């Protein structure tokens, strides 16, 4: 509870400034996005998605933020009393990977000189579309976890050198806090 309370306080204090900072970052966007993504603030990846949809930030900045964000991982680690050095090491790895991926993606997109025009949407239509997507995915994920179970899911990943990380990556793409919590819990349990 205290962790979530602290994260909410931090989010309210830094949210507007963080968004403006990322918006004004230009070519340094992936670097700044990767660093700011590591700061625990719920909804930052959603805010980054909206900035990208509004053509305010680059694809590389968006990916850097996605790769470095660890919102659900941090409270789960703290509640399970995982060694702080392990937490810091994972966050630094996520920032490094996010930074490299973001810079590489921006270089590729810039060199290809293709324009990635997105269809402009009204805020209401955008909100309804995202809401419907999240409801459907959340329902499917929760149903899967209910019937399959965390243990079976863990067995799919455990000791599978190529398939395990691939399945974990696919699960991690699901826009839902439950998937992040499940993966973090499986990590803590050594799966």
């Amino acid at each position: 509870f205290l962790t979530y309370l602290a994260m909410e306080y931090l989010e309210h204090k830094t949210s507007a400034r963080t968004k403006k900072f990322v918006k004004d970052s230009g070519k340094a966007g992936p670097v700044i996005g990767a660093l700011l993504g590591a700061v625990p603030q719920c909804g930052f990846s959603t805010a980054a998605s909206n900035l990208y949809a509004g053509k305010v930030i680059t694809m590389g900045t968006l990916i850097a933020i996605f790769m470095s964000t660890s919102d659900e991982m941090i409270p789960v680690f703290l509640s399970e009393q995982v060694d702080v050095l392990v937490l810091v090491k994972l966050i630094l790895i996520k920032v490094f990977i996010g930074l490299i991926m973001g810079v590489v993606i921006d270089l590729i997109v810039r060199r290809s000189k293709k324009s990635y025009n997105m269809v402009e949407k009204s805020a209401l239509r955008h909100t309804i579309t995202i809401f419907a997507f999240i409801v459907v995915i959340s329902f499917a994920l929760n149903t899967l976890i209910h019937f399959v179970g965390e243990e079976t899911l863990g067995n799919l990943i455990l000791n599978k050198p190529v398939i395990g990380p691939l399945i974990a990556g696919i699960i991690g793409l699901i826009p839902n806090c439950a998937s992040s919590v499940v993966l973090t819990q499986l990590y803590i349990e050594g799966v």
Side-chain angles (χ1 to χ4, degrees), residues 37-183:
V39 177
Q41 45 185 333
C42 296
F44 186 51
S45 56
T46 304
S49 297
N50 287 328
L51 290 173
Y52 177 73
K55 301 177 185 174
V56 175
I57 62 173
T58 65
M59 185 186 301
T61 302
L62 178 68
I63 297 302
I65 291 168
F66 282 174
M67 299 295 284
S68 67
T69 301
S70 311
D71 294 331
E72 291 80 28
M73 181 189 78
I74 293 170
V76 171
F77 268 40
L78 293 175
S79 69
E80 294 287 336
Q81 299 176 348
V82 172
D83 184 11
V84 175
L85 291 176
V86 172
L87 176 63
V88 170
K89 191 185 308 181
L90 282 172
I91 290 172
L92 290 174
I93 290 169
K94 288 171 70 63
V95 167
F96 179 73
I97 291 171
L99 188 147
I100 297 300
M101 293 300 296
V103 169
V104 168
I105 288 169
D106 272 359
L107 285 173
I108 291 169
V109 169
R110 215 175 284 130
R111 283 203 178 127
S112 70
K113 296 185 181 177
K114 291 181 181 177
S115 96
Y116 293 94
N117 294 329
M118 290 171 275
V119 178
E120 294 293 331
K121 294 182 182 180
S122 70
L124 180 60
R125 188 179 327 159
H126 180 72
T127 302
I128 291 170
T129 303
I130 297 299
F131 174 76
F133 179 73
I134 289 173
V135 167
V136 169
I137 295 296
S138 295
F139 178 76
L141 177 65
N142 289 330
T143 303
L144 177 71
I145 290 172
H146 175 74
F147 287 110
V148 173
E150 282 185 42
E151 188 173 312
T152 305
L153 187 60
N155 289 334
L156 286 173
I157 300 170
L158 185 63
N159 296 323
K160 310 279 194 290
V162 175
I163 294 290
L166 180 64
I167 291 171
I170 291 169
I171 292 168
L173 288 172
I174 299 169
N176 182 300
C177 294
S179 61
S180 179
V181 170
V182 166
L183 289 173

